[in-house]
Amino acid sequence: MATTERITVTLPADILAAIRTEAGGNVSAYTAKALKGQAVRDAADRLALWQTTHGREQLEDLQVLALDTLDSLPGGER
């Protein structure tokens, strides 16, 4: 089971009212789910940026390295 920590946040009253309405009595679980989803989207954005700036070069280098490694194995020469 995941460890939890208590935090305090300040939200606009209208947003908190909407959360309480949607949360079904568990504001903490609702908030954790929303923050987890945002963290995943943020990570996906960083990955997409990395792939557009480094991905192609890095992938080509990894492919060459993999082929060289396979070539170095007994019976692996091309």
Side-chain angles (χ1 to χ4, degrees):
M1 186 161 139
T3 304
T4 61
E5 292 185 37
R6 185 188 237 345
I7 64 167
T8 301
V9 297
T10 302
L11 298 170
D14 58 336
I15 292 174
L16 181 56
I19 290 170
R20 285 185 171 140
T21 299
E22 296 299 323
N26 193 341
V27 172
S28 292
Y30 182 91
T31 304
K33 183 178 178 182
L35 292 173
K36 182 178 181 179
Q38 185 61 51
V40 168
R41 287 187 295 277
D42 292 344
D45 289 344
R46 284 193 310 276
L47 176 60
L49 178 62
W50 182 89
Q51 286 176 323
T52 58
T53 57
H54 301 97
R56 175 70 65 191
E57 271 177 32
Q58 295 286 334
L59 289 175
E60 288 172 359
D61 290 347
L62 287 173
Q63 288 172 339
V64 168
L65 179 61
L67 290 173
D68 289 348
T69 300
L70 289 172
D71 285 345
S72 70
L73 295 173
E77 296 82 17
R78 288 187 237 182

